[in-house]
Amino acid sequence: MIDLTLIRFEEIVPAGANWSHVLKRGTTLRITNIESGANVSALFYNFELPSERLNLPDTLKCQHTAKLTTGHCLYSDMGRILVSITADTCGWHDPLAGVSNVSIVRDKYGEANYQTARNGWYRNGRDNFLTELGKYDMGERDLTMNVNFFQKVSVDELGKMVYHAGHSGAGEYVDLRSEMNTLVVLNTAIHPLDSTSIYSPKPVHLTIFSSPPPAADDFCRTLCPENERGFILTERYFL
């Protein structure tokens, strides 16, 4: 339970929609799966220096993992930590499968544009990212690998990605503590490997709340030696 006096604001992102916010250092973003089956595709940038952005290969390599959960940090391409995962009831978030695009959605669900379906039109994650990035004078060249929160994708012995349907239930959440002033760009479009036959993205609830800086024994900081170095490098950035 979040201390109500620490909450700065709350918001619901509708199904299939996009959203962004500069998550200030000293705050945490809680993303809650309102219904089962939500997907939140997310990108992360240093707001003061947007050329510094999420580097998922380094994030996974230095923490020796192919999934993200409590204790893991999301690294920038300069070795600093953009956000760290301080709580997670889901246990597995997908950093591998990328984002849906217009072809994936059209081939799987058919076409439904705004002119015919109004707010029920079929949106895709890539276009949602570009729409939101445009607000910050960013575009295609700024797209990077993304995280898909509340989704599980493993890799079998042949190297094929395996999608696990129904991985996250209603009420599950993940907390992202901002270690920098981090531009968070996300959308709730459907996962690129979603196995449902009906286009049915889900909404999520967002809560921004104040949070203390990581202590010396912080779990994310002490998870591995690489994270300790990442926190030191991040703290030097603000000296």
PDB file of all heavy atoms in Angstrom, residues 70-72 85 215 217-224 227:
ATOM      1  N   THR A  70      11.967  -7.566  -9.930  1.00  0.00           N
ATOM      2  CA  THR A  70      12.470  -6.815  -8.782  1.00  0.00           C
ATOM      3  C   THR A  70      13.988  -6.913  -8.649  1.00  0.00           C
ATOM      4  O   THR A  70      14.559  -8.004  -8.728  1.00  0.00           O
ATOM      5  CB  THR A  70      11.826  -7.336  -7.487  1.00  0.00           C
ATOM      6  OG1 THR A  70      10.411  -7.305  -7.617  1.00  0.00           O
ATOM      7  CG2 THR A  70      12.233  -6.481  -6.297  1.00  0.00           C
ATOM      8  N   GLY A  71      14.629  -5.772  -8.451  1.00  0.00           N
ATOM      9  CA  GLY A  71      16.076  -5.724  -8.288  1.00  0.00           C
ATOM     10  C   GLY A  71      16.810  -5.335  -9.555  1.00  0.00           C
ATOM     11  O   GLY A  71      17.953  -4.877  -9.494  1.00  0.00           O
ATOM     12  N   HIS A  72      16.173  -5.516 -10.701  1.00  0.00           N
ATOM     13  CA  HIS A  72      16.836  -5.172 -11.958  1.00  0.00           C
ATOM     14  C   HIS A  72      16.773  -3.666 -12.225  1.00  0.00           C
ATOM     15  O   HIS A  72      15.824  -2.989 -11.829  1.00  0.00           O
ATOM     16  CB  HIS A  72      16.191  -5.920 -13.125  1.00  0.00           C
ATOM     17  CG  HIS A  72      16.486  -7.395 -13.124  1.00  0.00           C
ATOM     18  ND1 HIS A  72      15.573  -8.353 -13.492  1.00  0.00           N
ATOM     19  CD2 HIS A  72      17.613  -8.070 -12.770  1.00  0.00           C
ATOM     20  CE1 HIS A  72      16.116  -9.553 -13.387  1.00  0.00           C
ATOM     21  NE2 HIS A  72      17.355  -9.412 -12.943  1.00  0.00           N
ATOM     22  N   ILE A  85      13.749  -1.354 -10.780  1.00  0.00           N
ATOM     23  CA  ILE A  85      12.498  -2.031 -10.428  1.00  0.00           C
ATOM     24  C   ILE A  85      12.544  -2.377  -8.946  1.00  0.00           C
ATOM     25  O   ILE A  85      13.239  -3.310  -8.534  1.00  0.00           O
ATOM     26  CB  ILE A  85      12.294  -3.284 -11.291  1.00  0.00           C
ATOM     27  CG1 ILE A  85      12.287  -2.907 -12.776  1.00  0.00           C
ATOM     28  CG2 ILE A  85      10.990  -3.997 -10.912  1.00  0.00           C
ATOM     29  CD1 ILE A  85      12.198  -4.093 -13.726  1.00  0.00           C
ATOM     30  N   ALA A 215      19.373   3.559  -0.599  1.00  0.00           N
ATOM     31  CA  ALA A 215      20.353   3.491   0.486  1.00  0.00           C
ATOM     32  C   ALA A 215      21.519   2.582   0.088  1.00  0.00           C
ATOM     33  O   ALA A 215      21.490   1.937  -0.967  1.00  0.00           O
ATOM     34  CB  ALA A 215      19.676   2.954   1.749  1.00  0.00           C
ATOM     35  N   ASP A 217      22.311  -0.205   1.227  1.00  0.00           N
ATOM     36  CA  ASP A 217      21.919  -1.617   1.164  1.00  0.00           C
ATOM     37  C   ASP A 217      20.691  -1.832   0.282  1.00  0.00           C
ATOM     38  O   ASP A 217      20.021  -2.858   0.396  1.00  0.00           O
ATOM     39  CB  ASP A 217      21.652  -2.153   2.576  1.00  0.00           C
ATOM     40  CG  ASP A 217      20.502  -1.404   3.260  1.00  0.00           C
ATOM     41  OD1 ASP A 217      20.071  -0.352   2.739  1.00  0.00           O
ATOM     42  OD2 ASP A 217      20.039  -1.890   4.316  1.00  0.00           O
ATOM     43  N   ASP A 218      20.399  -0.883  -0.579  1.00  0.00           N
ATOM     44  CA  ASP A 218      19.252  -1.006  -1.477  1.00  0.00           C
ATOM     45  C   ASP A 218      19.358  -2.295  -2.306  1.00  0.00           C
ATOM     46  O   ASP A 218      20.425  -2.610  -2.839  1.00  0.00           O
ATOM     47  CB  ASP A 218      19.211   0.212  -2.406  1.00  0.00           C
ATOM     48  CG  ASP A 218      18.037   0.171  -3.362  1.00  0.00           C
ATOM     49  OD1 ASP A 218      16.928   0.547  -2.940  1.00  0.00           O
ATOM     50  OD2 ASP A 218      18.226  -0.251  -4.520  1.00  0.00           O
ATOM     51  N   PHE A 219      18.240  -3.021  -2.429  1.00  0.00           N
ATOM     52  CA  PHE A 219      18.272  -4.320  -3.097  1.00  0.00           C
ATOM     53  C   PHE A 219      18.698  -4.207  -4.559  1.00  0.00           C
ATOM     54  O   PHE A 219      19.454  -5.054  -5.066  1.00  0.00           O
ATOM     55  CB  PHE A 219      16.897  -4.992  -2.996  1.00  0.00           C
ATOM     56  CG  PHE A 219      16.845  -6.344  -3.632  1.00  0.00           C
ATOM     57  CD1 PHE A 219      17.627  -7.392  -3.139  1.00  0.00           C
ATOM     58  CD2 PHE A 219      16.039  -6.590  -4.723  1.00  0.00           C
ATOM     59  CE1 PHE A 219      17.596  -8.653  -3.730  1.00  0.00           C
ATOM     60  CE2 PHE A 219      15.995  -7.849  -5.327  1.00  0.00           C
ATOM     61  CZ  PHE A 219      16.775  -8.878  -4.824  1.00  0.00           C
ATOM     62  N   CYS A 220      18.219  -3.185  -5.257  1.00  0.00           N
ATOM     63  CA  CYS A 220      18.613  -3.007  -6.658  1.00  0.00           C
ATOM     64  C   CYS A 220      20.110  -2.713  -6.760  1.00  0.00           C
ATOM     65  O   CYS A 220      20.794  -3.196  -7.664  1.00  0.00           O
ATOM     66  CB  CYS A 220      17.813  -1.870  -7.291  1.00  0.00           C
ATOM     67  SG  CYS A 220      16.036  -2.141  -7.366  1.00  0.00           S
ATOM     68  N   ARG A 221      20.599  -1.936  -5.816  1.00  0.00           N
ATOM     69  CA  ARG A 221      22.012  -1.544  -5.837  1.00  0.00           C
ATOM     70  C   ARG A 221      22.929  -2.736  -5.573  1.00  0.00           C
ATOM     71  O   ARG A 221      24.006  -2.853  -6.168  1.00  0.00           O
ATOM     72  CB  ARG A 221      22.231  -0.453  -4.788  1.00  0.00           C
ATOM     73  CG  ARG A 221      23.615   0.149  -4.798  1.00  0.00           C
ATOM     74  CD  ARG A 221      23.750   1.233  -3.729  1.00  0.00           C
ATOM     75  NE  ARG A 221      24.976   1.982  -3.924  1.00  0.00           N
ATOM     76  CZ  ARG A 221      25.041   3.292  -4.177  1.00  0.00           C
ATOM     77  NH1 ARG A 221      23.921   3.989  -4.257  1.00  0.00           N
ATOM     78  NH2 ARG A 221      26.178   3.891  -4.356  1.00  0.00           N
ATOM     79  N   THR A 222      22.515  -3.622  -4.686  1.00  0.00           N
ATOM     80  CA  THR A 222      23.395  -4.718  -4.261  1.00  0.00           C
ATOM     81  C   THR A 222      23.133  -6.019  -5.022  1.00  0.00           C
ATOM     82  O   THR A 222      23.743  -7.036  -4.706  1.00  0.00           O
ATOM     83  CB  THR A 222      23.211  -4.973  -2.748  1.00  0.00           C
ATOM     84  OG1 THR A 222      21.832  -5.319  -2.492  1.00  0.00           O
ATOM     85  CG2 THR A 222      23.578  -3.738  -1.947  1.00  0.00           C
ATOM     86  N   LEU A 223      22.238  -5.973  -5.995  1.00  0.00           N
ATOM     87  CA  LEU A 223      21.908  -7.204  -6.720  1.00  0.00           C
ATOM     88  C   LEU A 223      23.133  -7.837  -7.357  1.00  0.00           C
ATOM     89  O   LEU A 223      23.287  -9.057  -7.375  1.00  0.00           O
ATOM     90  CB  LEU A 223      20.856  -6.902  -7.798  1.00  0.00           C
ATOM     91  CG  LEU A 223      20.370  -8.115  -8.582  1.00  0.00           C
ATOM     92  CD1 LEU A 223      19.460  -8.993  -7.715  1.00  0.00           C
ATOM     93  CD2 LEU A 223      19.630  -7.674  -9.848  1.00  0.00           C
ATOM     94  N   CYS A 224      24.028  -6.995  -7.886  1.00  0.00           N
ATOM     95  CA  CYS A 224      25.247  -7.494  -8.533  1.00  0.00           C
ATOM     96  C   CYS A 224      26.264  -6.355  -8.554  1.00  0.00           C
ATOM     97  O   CYS A 224      25.894  -5.188  -8.440  1.00  0.00           O
ATOM     98  CB  CYS A 224      24.965  -8.000  -9.941  1.00  0.00           C
ATOM     99  SG  CYS A 224      24.253  -6.764 -11.046  1.00  0.00           S
ATOM    100  N   ASN A 227      25.549  -3.375 -10.865  1.00  0.00           N
ATOM    101  CA  ASN A 227      24.571  -2.377 -10.443  1.00  0.00           C
ATOM    102  C   ASN A 227      25.198  -1.359  -9.489  1.00  0.00           C
ATOM    103  O   ASN A 227      24.888  -0.170  -9.540  1.00  0.00           O
ATOM    104  CB  ASN A 227      23.370  -3.054  -9.778  1.00  0.00           C
ATOM    105  CG  ASN A 227      22.422  -3.663 -10.792  1.00  0.00           C
ATOM    106  OD1 ASN A 227      22.728  -3.710 -11.981  1.00  0.00           O
ATOM    107  ND2 ASN A 227      21.281  -4.144 -10.336  1.00  0.00           N
TER     108      ASN A 227
END
